[in-house]
Amino acid sequence: MTSSQTPGFATLQVHAGTEPDPATGARQVPIYQSTAYVFKDAAHAARLFNLEEVGYIYSRLTNPTVGALQNRIAALEGGAGAVCCSSGHAAQIMALFPLMGPGLNVVASTRLYGGTVQQFSNTIRKFGWSAKFVDFEDKAALKAAIDDNTRAVFCESIANPGGYVTDLRAVADIADAAGVPLIVDNTSATPYLCRPIEHGATLVVHSTTKYLTGNGTVTGGAIVDSGKFDWSNGKFPSLADPEPAYHGIKFHEALGAMAFTFYGIAVGLRDLGMTMNPQGAHYTLMGIETLSLRMDKHVANAVTVANWLEKHPNVAKVTYAGLKSSPYYERAKALCPKGAGALFTITLKGGYDACVKLVDSLKLLSHVANLGDARSLIIHPASTTHRQLTPAQQSAAGAAPDLVRLSIGIEDPADIIADLEQALAAAHA
Ligand SMILES: *Cc1c(COP(=O)(O)O)cnc(C)c1O
C-alpha cells in the first residue's frame, strides 16, 4: 500500500500488515513454521533481548505470520498495536494481566458470553483478582461499583447471547473519569460493524475463533490497544514502573503508544505462554480477507430470519437489535450503522422442553457451542454454555431456560427459514 490515500476497510482487510515476502516474493503471507530465528551476531541478539531493536527471537513471543495478523487486526480496529494469542479467553487474561494484581478488581457487565462470566466469577480469583458484575444500563450502579481497587471496566459491544448493544460512549466516559481503561469484547460485532476505539474504548479483545476466521476452523484471540491511555496515572505499575526483567525499562515512558502491546509480548506471552501458532494465524488471515462480504450477508440474513421469527405464532420474543421492536434499535444504528450482527435469541412459548425439541429437530442448522461460522448454528444456553451459572446469572446474562441462541450463517435465507419452520412445528407438536 503505497498511495497516500487512507485505505478503506475492504482494502485493509486484504492488505494491512502484509507485503510480498521479502525473501521469496510470495504474494500470500507464508506460514513461518519456525520456532527460532538466527541472530546476525551476538550484539544483535543482545539488542533484541534488551528490547532496543524489534525482531524475531522465539515463536512463543513473536512469529512473522502471527505478526502479520496482529498488524492487520490493529489496522481494522484503528488501534496502535495488537497481540494475538491462543484463544478469546486467553486474550481476556492477557488484557487484564498488565493491569491487575492481588486485591484488584474489574467491573464487568452482567451481559457477557457465558464462558467469560465463568472465567471472571471463579478462575481469576486464583490470581487474587475479582470481578464485580453490574447491569451497564444502570449508569449510577456502574459508577458506584468502580472503587480504588478497580483497574478495568469490561463489556461486549454487541453482547452474547442476546444481542444487547452496550452504550459504549457513556460507559467509556465513566471509566475515563475514574482513570481506568474500558475493555470491549468486540467478537460478535467485528471491526466491520463496530469500532469500539472510536467510541472511547482503550482496549479491544477478540475471539478470532468466530467471525474473523469465519468458518469454524481454529481458536485464537487478539488484544488491540488504542495507544491513547495514560498508564502513568499511578494505578498501573507494570506499565509505568521500571521492569527488572528488561534492565529497568519503563514501558509507558520508553514505548509510548506501543507500551501495552510490547508488554503483552515481552512479558505476557513470554511468561504466560498463551501463544497463537502460525498455522492458526494463517487460517485467520485468510478469513479476514472476506470479513466485510461475509458480515454484510450475515446481517442481511439475520434481519430476514429475525423478522420472520418475530411473526411466528410459537415464538414469544426475538432479541435482535436489528429489529425495529428492539429497545436497542436506535443505539445499534448509531454504534453499528452497517448492522447489529447476526447473533440473537428467541424465546419459545413452549419453554425449556420446546427449546430442546427445536434444537433436536433442526437439520440445516447445527447444534454446536460456537458462533460466527459461515454455517447457521443454534444452541440452548441454559443447558450448555450458561449451564454452570445460577438461574439469576442466566437471566441477567440473557440466557433464560426458555430461549435458544441463533448464529445466522451465510446460506440462502429461504433455506434457513424452511429448516426453522419445520423444527418449530416439531417442537410444538
Ligand atoms: C467465543 C467467545 C469468547 C471466548 O473465545 P474462545 O476463542 O472460545 O476462547 C469470548 N467472548 C465472546 C463474545 C465469544 O463469543
Side-chain angles (χ1 to χ4, degrees):
M1 287 189 298
T2 48
S3 97
S4 57
Q5 182 176 330
T6 309
F9 192 95
T11 304
L12 289 173
Q13 72 187 359
V14 176
H15 290 278
T18 65
E19 287 169 4
D21 182 43
T24 62
R27 189 66 193 84
Q28 195 43 279
V29 183
I31 303 171
Y32 284 92
Q33 200 67 61
S34 183
T35 306
Y37 308 85
V38 179
F39 305 121
K40 289 175 198 146
D41 52 35
H44 174 228
R47 288 196 301 278
L48 292 176
F49 276 90
N50 274 347
L51 300 182
E52 285 159 18
E53 184 176 325
V54 178
Y56 301 102
I57 298 176
Y58 185 67
S59 282
R60 178 164 18 88
L61 289 86
T62 47
N63 170 281
T65 315
V66 177
L69 178 62
Q70 289 173 163
N71 292 340
R72 188 169 299 174
I73 293 175
L76 294 180
E77 287 287 1
V83 182
C84 283
C85 54
S86 54
S87 70
H89 267 14
Q92 292 169 189
I93 296 297
M94 289 276 296
L96 291 174
F97 175 66
L99 315 176
M100 301 286 276
L104 303 178
N105 68 69
V106 50
V107 172
S109 167
T110 46
R111 286 174 252 224
L112 293 179
Y113 177 71
T116 307
V117 178
Q118 201 57 251
Q119 186 186 51
F120 284 9
S121 305
N122 298 314
T123 302
I124 65 170
R125 292 186 170 277
K126 301 197 176 193
F127 309 141
W129 313 346
S130 63
K132 298 193 206 179
F133 291 96
V134 185
D135 179 354
F136 277 23
E137 280 305 287
D138 186 345
K139 300 296 175 326
L142 170 56
K143 268 186 211 159
I146 299 174
D147 63 27
D148 289 346
N149 292 326
T150 300
R151 290 297 177 273
V153 171
F154 188 100
C155 65
E156 292 179 33
S157 46
I158 302 179
N160 194 327
Y164 162 78
V165 181
T166 306
D167 190 356
L168 288 183
R169 175 53 68 182
V171 171
D173 286 347
I174 292 170
D176 229 35
V180 296
L182 170 63
I183 307 174
V184 176
D185 181 340
N186 200 32
T187 298
S188 306
T190 81
Y192 179 63
L193 299 180
C194 178
R195 305 220 310 165
I197 290 171
E198 290 173 1
H199 305 286
T202 295
L203 300 168
V204 177
V205 292
H206 275 284
S207 167
T208 60
T209 314
K210 312 294 170 50
Y211 293 104
L212 294 187
T213 304
N215 22 44
T217 46
V218 290
T219 64
I223 311 101
V224 183
D225 178 28
S226 65
K228 292 178 186 156
F229 196 85
D230 177 11
W231 303 113
S232 68
N233 70 1
K235 291 178 190 270
F236 303 99
S238 295
L239 294 161
D241 291 356
E243 167 64 41
Y246 290 105
H247 58 82
I249 188 179
K250 297 178 183 171
F251 278 84
H252 178 68
E253 197 179 278
L255 297 157
M258 290 302 283
F260 193 93
T261 300
F262 269 75
Y263 190 90
I265 293 168
V267 182
L269 288 180
R270 185 196 63 187
D271 294 346
L272 299 175
M274 300 165 162
T275 305
M276 178 181 274
N277 67 72
Q279 279 275 349
H282 173 75
Y283 280 110
T284 305
L285 279 165
M286 295 302 96
I288 285 182
E289 292 190 351
T290 57
L291 181 64
S292 65
L293 308 176
R294 287 184 287 108
M295 292 316 291
D296 280 338
K297 179 69 171 159
H298 277 294
V299 166
N301 281 1
V303 169
T304 304
V305 173
N307 272 295
W308 178 82
L309 282 166
E310 195 172 39
K311 294 185 197 88
H312 195 283
N314 298 341
V315 174
K317 192 174 167 199
V318 182
T319 58
Y320 187 46
L323 287 173
K324 292 213 173 74
S325 58
S326 166
Y328 306 112
Y329 180 75
E330 292 301 330
R331 190 184 289 172
K333 274 212 316 208
L335 221 63
C336 324
K338 297 197 194 78
L343 194 71
F344 58 86
T345 62
I346 56 173
T347 304
L348 296 192
K349 288 183 182 159
Y352 186 99
D353 292 342
C355 289
V356 171
K357 270 195 225 155
L358 173 77
V359 164
D360 283 344
S361 305
L362 287 161
K363 297 187 172 75
L364 181 69
L365 278 80
S366 303
H367 180 202
V368 297
N370 192 18
L371 61 96
D373 194 320
R375 280 148 282 272
S376 290
L377 312 175
I378 190 166
I379 197 157
H380 182 219
S383 64
T384 56
T385 52
H386 290 63
R387 187 183 189 88
Q388 311 301 335
L389 307 188
T390 64
Q393 282 178 317
Q394 285 178 349
S395 293
D402 58 349
L403 60 81
V404 291
R405 182 192 73 196
L406 292 164
S407 170
I408 300 299
I410 59 173
E411 302 97 335
D412 286 307
D415 294 326
I416 303 171
I417 287 174
D419 195 33
L420 284 166
E421 184 159 37
Q422 65 79 21
L424 280 167
H428 289 84

